[in-house]
Amino acid sequence: MSDPIDTAIRSLYDSVLDPTAWPDALGRVAVAFDAHAATVWRYDPQLHRISEMTAQGHDPAVLALYAAHYVQLDPATPKVLAAGVGQWLGDETLLDARQAAHRPYLYEFALPNGLGRVGGGQVAADGRGCLYLGVQRRPGSPRFGSVAAQRFASLAPHLARADAMRQHMARLEQQQALAANVLDRFETALCVVDAAGRILIANRAADPLFTTAGPLQVHGGFVRPRHDALRTWWPQALKAACGEPPRARATRLPGRDDGAAATVAWSLWLLPLPPGHALRDGRLEPRALLVGGRAGRAVRSPAHQAALREVYGLTPAEADWLTALAGGETAPAFAQRRGVSIHTVRSQTAALLGKLGCRSQLELAALARELPCLRGE
């Protein structure tokens, strides 16, 4: 038979990638303490309130009542905060009917809701407050003893680590949702892919890329070439954009109308996403941005510049210079128009080369002319 603490620890880490498994993990924590319920909450000592709370084995209405009112009366709260991280407290230390200060909470809330024995302690403390684990047994159950204290010492660091990982994953998912929302504001095809060509994020405008008339297709979540001219270009472009040093790659597919299936001309760019870029979701693995667009004329609009800044991580000045390049403006003319030195423009050029994966200003100018974000649709 497996150790209940080991089982609980495994369940906590499993819940990092599967948030729906979190209640089951808390259930296994309760089993490890021979308790009927387990609760994890984050308490803000400055605001004197619970900011997050999850539990297994409790009525949600009871939890809501506790968070709204009885946490202020709970004699355990100040004791747990004073005890510090990693210290186990149980039974009479937290709830003692012999102490008058404990009786309102004990008789108004705890006993009527099946809380006869309680134990727990802080497992972590950071800028977001104190993370607390509590386990509860029904009235008439044995007290929590030294075994519970030992199990708490074994479990607490893993619970703290799993919670930090869950919070990190939640932030990454939120960033990904925000990034997808940003991409959907574009009228051009944009997809974030990994080094294997797996689609991670795609906007709605990318759908035509993958239709039967489009240049690409998706198999099992991976981008694959549909057009014969891309069968060599696509794997080479992936290797370049996700390699070291990362380089942008581009190609143009002419349209045709053979009387059977008319197709449009496409320009495709695969651009490396630098470390720290919002569209990388904090990941260390290489990511690239697939940009697809149709023939059109160069434009200079504030909306397009704003899009550039958001997607490619450019400063306003860099976006302005890239837009100028798309229109054929030279560096000296741009410097004079903007009232800056040619050295400033060269510094902006160097920054753009790194962010967009180009090797020369000529390559950067070619990219600027073809990027759909700088062209009319």
Side-chain angles (χ1 to χ4, degrees), residues 44-59:
D44 189 327
Q46 295 183 338
L47 298 179
H48 303 289
R49 66 177 180 84
I50 293 175
S51 57
E52 305 170 37
M53 182 165 61
T54 54
Q56 184 71 353
H58 285 299
D59 184 339

Side-chain angles (χ1 to χ4, degrees), residues 264-286:
V264 299
W266 282 95
S267 291
L268 298 177
W269 277 90
L270 197 62
L271 307 171
L273 290 173
H277 194 286
L279 292 178
R280 285 185 65 153
D281 297 334
R283 309 286 177 142
L284 297 178
E285 298 85 358

Side-chain angles (χ1 to χ4, degrees), residues 3-363:
D3 187 331
I5 280 292
D6 291 340
T7 301
I9 291 171
R10 286 195 299 270
S11 297
L12 288 171
Y13 286 122
D14 288 343
S15 72
V16 172
L17 296 178
D18 182 8
T20 62
W22 182 241
D24 178 68
L26 290 185
R28 295 183 184 275
V29 169
V31 169
F33 285 87
D34 297 320
H36 81 275
T39 310
V40 173
W41 66 85
R42 191 174 298 280
Y43 184 79
D44 189 327
Q46 295 183 338
L47 298 179
H48 303 289
R49 66 177 180 84
I50 293 175
S51 57
E52 305 170 37
M53 182 165 61
T54 54
Q56 184 71 353
H58 285 299
D59 184 339
V62 172
L63 292 177
L65 182 62
Y66 177 84
H69 177 64
Y70 281 100
V71 66
Q72 306 295 337
L73 298 178
D74 189 349
T77 302
K79 293 184 178 182
V80 171
L81 293 174
V85 174
Q87 185 171 340
W88 166 265
L89 299 174
D91 290 325
E92 282 79 4
T93 305
L94 300 180
L95 282 181
D96 186 354
R98 294 171 297 182
Q99 299 188 37
H102 292 200
R103 291 171 190 164
Y105 174 81
L106 185 64
Y107 293 115
E108 291 179 20
F109 179 80
L111 292 177
N113 288 294
L115 305 180
R117 303 291 187 186
V118 296
Q122 279 192 67
V123 297
D126 53 32
R128 295 179 294 126
C130 304
L131 188 68
Y132 175 75
L133 167 66
V135 288
Q136 298 84 30
R137 291 176 179 170
R138 300 187 188 281
S141 300
R143 297 177 180 177
F144 288 104
S146 59
V147 173
Q150 294 169 3
R151 291 183 175 181
F152 178 80
S154 299
L155 183 71
H158 294 284
L159 175 57
R161 193 174 299 117
D163 177 74
M165 294 168 68
R166 288 177 65 250
Q167 297 290 336
H168 180 65
M169 292 297 294
R171 287 192 295 271
L172 291 181
E173 290 176 1
Q174 184 179 36
Q175 291 173 4
Q176 186 174 28
L178 291 173
N181 181 60
V182 168
L183 294 188
D184 275 335
R185 290 157 52 187
F186 287 77
E187 296 180 358
T188 52
L190 296 171
C191 301
V192 178
V193 298
D194 64 12
R198 182 173 58 241
I199 294 180
L200 304 175
I201 310 173
N203 65 355
R204 298 187 188 95
D207 291 347
L209 274 177
F210 307 108
T211 63
T212 54
L216 300 166
Q217 54 189 328
V218 178
H219 283 302
F222 292 83
V223 177
R224 296 290 182 259
R226 183 189 302 276
H227 198 290
D228 289 341
L230 296 178
R231 299 194 185 281
T232 300
W233 178 85
W234 177 246
Q236 291 179 346
L238 275 176
K239 184 176 180 180
C242 296
E244 188 59 43
R247 298 296 184 194
R249 288 293 182 266
T251 190
R252 179 180 292 185
L253 301 176
R256 72 176 192 276
D257 187 354
D258 56 13
T263 62
V264 299
W266 282 95
S267 291
L268 298 177
W269 277 90
L270 197 62
L271 307 171
L273 290 173
H277 194 286
L279 292 178
R280 285 185 65 153
D281 297 334
R283 309 286 177 142
L284 297 178
E285 298 85 358
R287 299 285 188 264
L289 183 68
L290 172 62
V291 184
R294 299 167 182 173
R297 58 183 179 80
V299 296
R300 300 180 188 176
S301 73
H304 280 71
Q305 287 192 20
L308 280 171
R309 293 198 298 271
E310 288 185 287
V311 171
Y312 301 115
L314 309 183
T315 67
E318 291 164 357
D320 192 16
W321 172 219
L322 190 62
T323 306
L325 275 174
E329 193 168 3
T330 64
F334 176 77
Q336 183 176 12
R337 178 170 65 84
R338 297 293 292 171
V340 298
S341 71
I342 191 65
H343 299 291
T344 298
V345 178
R346 287 172 181 164
S347 295
Q348 293 167 354
T349 302
L352 288 168
L353 291 176
K355 292 180 179 181
L356 298 177
C358 296
R359 287 175 288 191
S360 67
Q361 183 170 323
L362 288 175
E363 188 176 324

